[in-house]
Amino acid sequence: MLELTPHIDDHSSEPKYLQLYSYIAKQIWNGTLTAGTRLPSIRTLAAHLHLSRNTVEAAYQQLIAEGYVENRSRIGLFVMPIEGGVKQAESGEKGAERELERELAQPLTASLDDEKDVFDTDAGIEIDFRHGNVDRERFPLIVWRKLANDLFRHRRDEALQYGHRQGEAGLRRAIARYLYQSRGVHCTPEQIVMGAGIQQLLMLICQLIRKDTHSIAMEEPGYDGARAIFYHNGYEIVPIPLEAEGISVQHLREQSAGAVYVTPSHQFPQGMVMSIAKRMQLLQWANDRESIIIEDDYDGEFKYGAKPVPSLQGLDGHGRVVYVGTFSKSLLPSIRLSYMVLPPWLLARYRLEFAAYEQTASKLHQMTMERFMTEGHWDKHLRKMRKLYQEKHSTLLTALSEEMGDRVRVIGQHSGLHIKLQVKHEYSEQQLIDAARTVGVKVYPTSIYRIKQEEDEQPSLLIGFGGLSLIQIREGVERLRQAWFG
């Protein structure tokens, strides 16, 4: 069996999956791993390196996405030839022949198991507690389709042209009104820039602030999707620990980061809501240092029994906050409509340096969303979804209490579409996930959101409920109790 022996640094600011990805990619480039070489399965490599399967799978998926390896049906992952490398290609042909001979001599069941590790990760899953899912059945598809069809009937020529580079003016006006009324955000439509998802906007922000800082502080643990964006844009990532009410401003003051990324309305993944006092301290830090706060309000529409806290942007009197929001959690992720609010000084820079950038969000979706908001459908939909998600949220908490009692601890239950579940068990995080799979339930790790792991931390899982029915939530919790506690 092929053995890979990378050095994975537990204390590095670089995520473990990226360390593993970089090691394998380098081995492919220098010819150590020749074309046709078969990589170990996720299960095998995770056990060999003492890593979680999620870490190995993330590294493999990155290699697949960049064309370093390919999936061969019912066999596994194989190294691809690097174009232009004659020696690589020649040795790869011989390597492929040898690997194929070995594969044909192995039982078919072993090959199927290896493929299942990488690609059939949801095989046998009946209840998926994925944190990013929403209730698709409640999306007002008939209304949305009618509005879109009306565009083609009455505004076809306009709808089929290039749009405004910052986003459609009518939609930006509607968003500015909504943000002021619901989140206390103070902005003009001209300050809003539309984008195709929060990650795309974060990439743009990275380019906008590059001359101001080379390091970005993040909550620890924090959103790995943002961390990956910052890392790939060349920023030093500075992890800042969390306190009961949000990021530790004291620790932040001790660092030299020129920007900080936070999720104050529903910290991801811990779930706490940043207090008003903590928000004022953070704004004071930004003003004193002339630093930048990136406020990600990814699911700020959903609160459960908690008094709404004004956005950081709405409290900011010195133009230090970039506010980022999305419609993905309240409508559908596939619509890909997000927005950011730039302070005036950054807006001026954006218009000076990025005026040639075309808009990435669909103009058709933008025009449809404008009418969806201005004709009252948005407010009606939000009221309905808030009520629905509150019922699902209550059902989940009740089921956990009844089925598991004090054997689990719920963290971050006051807002959003997920909770963090701390499980009092001798099982590790991965063992809890594996046990859940045996009863057809998928739950998710929280360790992947940390740069530095805490060995003595109680195993915790991320439990999303937005995409499940009330019956599925209750049954899923019952199955988890059976899997973990018998």
Side-chain angles (χ1 to χ4, degrees):
M1 181 190 74
L2 172 69
E3 288 194 358
L4 301 175
T5 55
H7 172 65
I8 305 297
D9 185 356
D10 292 336
H11 304 292
S12 172
S13 61
E14 182 179 25
K16 292 180 182 178
Y17 84 91
L18 286 177
Q19 295 183 52
L20 179 58
Y21 150 80
S22 298
Y23 169 82
I24 296 175
K26 183 177 180 180
Q27 299 303 302
I28 294 173
W29 268 109
N30 64 25
T32 303
L33 292 178
T34 58
T37 300
R38 178 170 172 245
L39 297 184
S41 70
I42 286 179
R43 181 188 295 112
T44 301
L45 188 56
H48 175 61
L49 300 178
H50 302 287
L51 297 172
S52 73
R53 294 185 189 178
N54 291 306
T55 297
V56 177
E57 182 177 6
Y60 276 5
Q61 292 296 342
Q62 188 67 29
L63 291 166
I64 293 170
E66 297 187 14
Y68 284 106
V69 299
E70 68 170 349
N71 169 38
R72 296 183 184 175
S73 181
R74 299 189 176 185
I75 297 178
L77 286 179
F78 287 80
V79 175
M80 293 286 287
I82 301 298
E83 187 175 353
V86 177
K87 182 178 179 180
Q88 172 81 357
E90 291 175 351
S91 62
E93 291 174 358
K94 296 177 181 178
E97 292 174 358
R98 290 193 296 270
E99 288 295 330
L100 182 58
E101 289 173 358
R102 284 194 288 268
E103 281 302 329
L104 292 175
Q106 293 179 0
L108 181 59
T109 52
S111 298
L112 288 173
D113 285 344
D114 290 334
E115 183 190 5
K116 180 179 178 181
D117 275 350
V118 183
F119 299 100
D120 294 337
T121 55
D122 289 338
I125 296 299
E126 298 173 355
I127 300 174
D128 188 351
F129 282 101
R130 189 180 189 279
H131 61 84
N133 286 349
V134 299
D135 195 319
R136 299 186 301 272
E137 299 299 320
R138 304 303 177 94
F139 177 71
L141 184 59
I142 295 176
V143 173
W144 188 269
R145 184 189 294 124
K146 179 183 180 300
L147 296 175
N149 289 340
D150 284 348
L151 286 176
F152 282 102
R153 280 196 296 268
H154 305 297
R155 300 170 64 185
R156 181 175 179 177
D157 289 344
E158 178 186 356
L160 297 181
Q161 297 293 323
Y162 281 109
H164 192 284
R165 285 184 168 88
Q166 280 187 224
E168 297 309 294
L171 176 58
R172 287 186 284 127
R173 284 194 294 270
I175 291 174
R177 286 193 297 269
Y178 164 70
L179 290 178
Y180 177 72
Q181 294 168 359
S182 67
R183 305 295 297 119
V185 171
H186 296 275
C187 71
T188 65
E190 289 73 28
Q191 290 175 254
I192 296 175
V193 178
M194 302 300 301
I198 281 182
Q199 285 186 310
Q200 186 270 325
L201 290 175
L202 290 177
M203 286 190 280
L204 186 55
I205 292 170
C206 284
Q207 297 175 54
L208 269 173
I209 67 174
R210 193 176 303 280
K211 62 181 63 176
D212 302 293
T213 181
H214 298 288
S215 60
I216 297 179
M218 282 190 66
E219 300 157 321
E220 171 74 347
Y223 175 39
D224 59 337
R227 187 171 66 224
I229 296 295
F230 301 146
Y231 172 80
H232 285 294
N233 277 273
Y235 284 90
E236 177 192 358
I237 299 171
V238 182
I240 305 296
L242 294 172
E243 298 174 336
E245 296 182 333
I247 194 169
S248 171
V249 179
Q250 179 58 42
H251 280 82
L252 183 61
R253 289 193 181 108
E254 295 169 359
Q255 304 298 324
S256 59
V260 62
Y261 167 88
V262 290
T263 50
S265 295
H266 186 220
Q267 199 281 330
F268 189 90
Q270 296 289 88
M272 76 272 289
V273 177
M274 186 183 292
S275 67
I276 187 69
K278 181 79 72 175
R279 292 177 189 233
M280 298 308 297
Q281 293 171 14
L282 187 58
L283 288 168
Q284 187 63 50
W285 165 83
N287 187 41
D288 292 343
R289 297 282 189 90
E290 295 187 347
S291 297
I292 300 159
I293 300 172
I294 305 170
E295 177 182 13
D296 186 347
D297 200 14
Y298 67 98
D299 65 358
E301 287 85 6
F302 306 110
K303 295 282 186 293
Y304 311 113
K307 183 179 179 180
V309 180
S311 66
L312 282 164
Q313 196 276 354
L315 297 169
D316 177 24
H318 299 90
R320 308 314 307 175
V321 177
V322 178
Y323 179 91
V324 183
T326 180
F327 292 111
S328 295
K329 299 297 183 294
S330 47
L331 289 176
L332 291 175
S334 60
I335 290 179
R336 309 308 298 154
L337 283 180
S338 297
Y339 48 87
M340 64 178 175
V341 178
L342 296 175
W345 65 277
L346 263 185
L347 177 64
R349 181 184 296 177
Y350 172 85
R351 289 181 167 176
L352 178 65
E353 300 180 8
F354 299 93
Y357 279 30
E358 294 289 352
Q359 176 54 230
T360 59
S362 162
K363 182 177 181 179
L364 294 175
H365 283 334
Q366 290 186 66
M367 294 176 70
T368 304
M369 188 66 197
E370 176 191 343
R371 287 194 57 188
F372 193 76
M373 296 182 78
T374 57
E375 296 180 13
H377 305 295
W378 168 247
D379 288 337
K380 180 180 178 181
H381 176 67
L382 266 189
R383 287 194 298 269
K384 180 176 68 175
M385 298 313 292
R386 283 173 178 146
K387 182 178 180 181
L388 174 65
Y389 288 141
Q390 185 157 18
E391 185 177 10
K392 292 185 179 187
H393 174 264
S394 178
T395 297
L396 175 61
L397 296 185
T398 300
L400 287 169
S401 176
E402 292 176 351
E403 291 288 340
M404 303 187 201
D406 60 2
R407 291 180 289 189
V408 296
R409 178 186 172 213
V410 176
I411 300 172
Q413 68 266 40
H414 297 302
S415 63
L417 302 181
H418 74 266
I419 62 167
K420 180 180 176 182
L421 188 68
Q422 203 170 67
V423 184
K424 301 173 185 178
H425 205 295
E426 66 272 13
Y427 280 179
S428 67
E429 178 188 80
Q430 188 60 51
Q431 288 173 324
L432 290 170
I433 293 171
D434 292 342
R437 292 188 67 88
T438 66
V439 294
V441 178
K442 190 170 184 179
V443 291
Y444 294 82
T446 60
S447 60
I448 61 174
Y449 303 113
R450 284 191 176 278
I451 294 177
K452 298 179 180 179
Q453 299 300 321
E454 295 185 0
E455 295 182 1
D456 58 345
E457 187 178 23
Q458 195 86 37
S460 301
L461 301 167
L462 212 59
I463 306 291
F465 55 86
L468 298 175
S469 68
L470 299 180
I471 293 175
Q472 287 175 316
I473 291 172
R474 285 190 287 264
E475 182 178 346
V477 172
E478 182 180 352
R479 290 190 189 189
L480 289 176
R481 190 262 303 158
Q482 293 171 353
W484 296 340
F485 302 109

